[in-house]
Amino acid sequence: MPGHEFYKQALPEVQHLGVVSFLTGGIGIDEARAMRGERMKYPLAMTFVQRYGESSQFLAHILVEISRDDGSPVLCATSEGPYLFADLPAGRYHVSATTDGGRVIERNVEVTAGGHVDLTLVWPASAGAH
């Protein structure tokens, strides 16, 4: 793929919290393209979107908390862009994502060995939004 190395250079650094590696970012065209190229390498890939009537906008600065099915915490991080990809072991997880305005979306996901879950979290337009 022409330009592949250029986009690799645009990738943010992989971060680590305990045993979980994760990648977050996607601000700007080059970084977003580079992130999308890495998406399938992570068992859980999240995208954060805000609805505004008929249109939508990517969100950043989302507080993401992931816990195991038994409630034990796995990852607590703030997205640096509209994407957060986590290298999670197989298992069932509870995901809680909070905007900087305090609006929360929660989902349960199951990650299988060698599998991949794409999770797009969409906040509906708030009352009074135009």
Side-chain angles (χ1 to χ4, degrees):
M1 165 183 201
H4 180 69
E5 286 307 310
F6 171 77
Y7 289 115
K8 283 281 201 186
Q9 293 174 8
L11 271 175
E13 265 189 56
V14 174
Q15 300 178 49
H16 306 275
L17 187 60
V19 297
V20 177
S21 299
F22 65 100
L23 187 62
T24 179
I27 301 292
I29 293 169
D30 293 339
E31 188 176 283
R33 187 172 289 154
M35 291 278 300
R36 287 190 302 269
E38 297 294 297
R39 166 179 237 103
M40 295 304 292
K41 295 179 182 178
Y42 290 83
L44 178 61
M46 293 177 279
T47 304
F48 310 111
V49 177
Q50 169 70 58
R51 271 276 189 234
Y52 293 101
E54 295 299 314
S55 63
S56 59
Q57 176 180 335
F58 286 123
L59 292 177
H61 310 291
I62 303 297
L63 173 63
V64 177
E65 297 172 285
I66 301 174
S67 57
R68 288 187 178 84
D69 215 21
D70 66 6
S72 58
V74 174
L75 178 66
C76 182
T78 300
S79 71
E80 296 172 9
Y83 304 119
L84 190 147
F85 306 154
D87 189 6
L88 300 174
R92 294 171 62 177
Y93 298 93
H94 179 79
V95 175
S96 177
T98 307
T99 66
D100 56 6
R103 297 176 72 196
V104 180
I105 291 181
E106 296 181 318
R107 297 287 185 271
N108 292 315
V109 297
E110 184 168 358
V111 173
T112 59
H116 174 81
V117 176
D118 263 317
L119 182 62
T120 300
L121 300 172
V122 181
W123 281 264
S126 58
H130 300 285

